[in-house]
Amino acid sequence: MNSHGREEQQVVWAVVGTAIGPLLLAATHEGLVNVVFHATDEVRGKALERLASRLGTEPVEAPGSPLLAEAICQVEAYFAGERHDFELPLDWSLSSGFNRQVLRELASGVAFGQVVGYGDLAGRVGQPGAAQAVGVAMGSNPLPVVVPCHRVVERDGGIGGFGGGLETKRKLLALEGVLPEPLF
């Protein structure tokens, strides 16, 4: 408890090795709050600074924390090909407004092995002309992989952009059977 009688916000984090490189997973009492690609020392440091700034508390490395246990287990199972759906509590506090609306629709409405176009996703949230805004929402996704922004592609069949890099997007889509496995 803090001096105002409220429970302190706690943010715990751990790095998980995956087929697409190390992922930083961070969680609060509400649920998984952040997934960060390519969690090398430099990337991890910047991500933790951003989290501290946005959430108002210093994240603590705690790979054994019960707040992270199920997320780590499910991420590992996903990359092992043993899990297609994430069933985790999510803390949406790093997203708001239209972006949160789009990300929630993506999380609940686009299943493993499926893809959706930016414009189609915009239409699903009642904004059929907002394909570019959907692209911005995908770029702001604080929970990639778990909230599968890699499943959003261009209308003409192009792969589209991706915050984790196009090779990472290709690997995720190959893992889900949407694209052939990269040759090298």
Side-chain angles (χ1 to χ4, degrees):
M1 296 272 178
N2 64 19
S3 61
H4 302 291
R6 293 191 204 124
E7 190 171 325
E8 290 275 340
Q9 168 83 303
Q10 181 183 17
V11 181
V12 295
W13 65 272
V15 173
V16 177
T18 73
I20 59 168
L23 292 179
L24 181 143
L25 305 181
T28 67
H29 289 288
E30 296 293 317
L32 189 65
V33 70
N34 203 202
V35 176
V36 179
F37 290 114
H38 316 299
T40 60
D41 289 344
E42 183 181 345
V43 169
R44 185 173 59 237
K46 289 178 182 174
L48 293 172
E49 285 176 21
R50 253 189 333 272
L51 269 176
S53 171
R54 301 259 330 259
L55 298 177
T57 189
E58 199 66 36
V60 176
E61 185 174 15
S65 171
L67 298 178
L68 286 168
E70 188 58 26
I72 290 170
C73 191
Q74 288 190 28
V75 165
E76 288 174 342
Y78 170 82
F79 282 101
E82 300 164 357
R83 173 173 278 282
H84 292 174
D85 301 308
F86 290 98
E87 297 171 11
L88 297 168
L90 301 177
D91 179 338
W92 291 97
S93 61
L94 297 178
S95 184
S96 63
F98 179 78
N99 291 358
R100 182 185 294 185
Q101 181 184 11
V102 170
L103 293 170
R104 284 180 178 262
E105 174 58 32
L106 175 63
S108 65
V110 183
F112 182 94
Q114 296 180 344
V115 293
V116 64
Y118 292 93
D120 293 335
L121 191 53
R124 288 185 185 193
V125 296
Q127 301 288 330
Q132 286 186 316
V134 166
V136 171
M138 295 304 101
S140 75
N141 182 4
L143 296 161
V145 179
V146 175
V147 176
C149 50
H150 59 276
R151 297 179 189 157
V152 183
V153 297
E154 295 175 348
R155 177 183 56 221
D156 65 3
I159 195 168
F162 195 62
L166 292 182
E167 189 58 32
T168 299
K169 186 171 187 173
R170 284 187 191 96
K171 287 180 179 180
L172 289 167
L173 291 172
L175 174 72
E176 296 189 8
V178 174
L179 291 177
E181 191 66 43
L183 295 175
F184 45 88

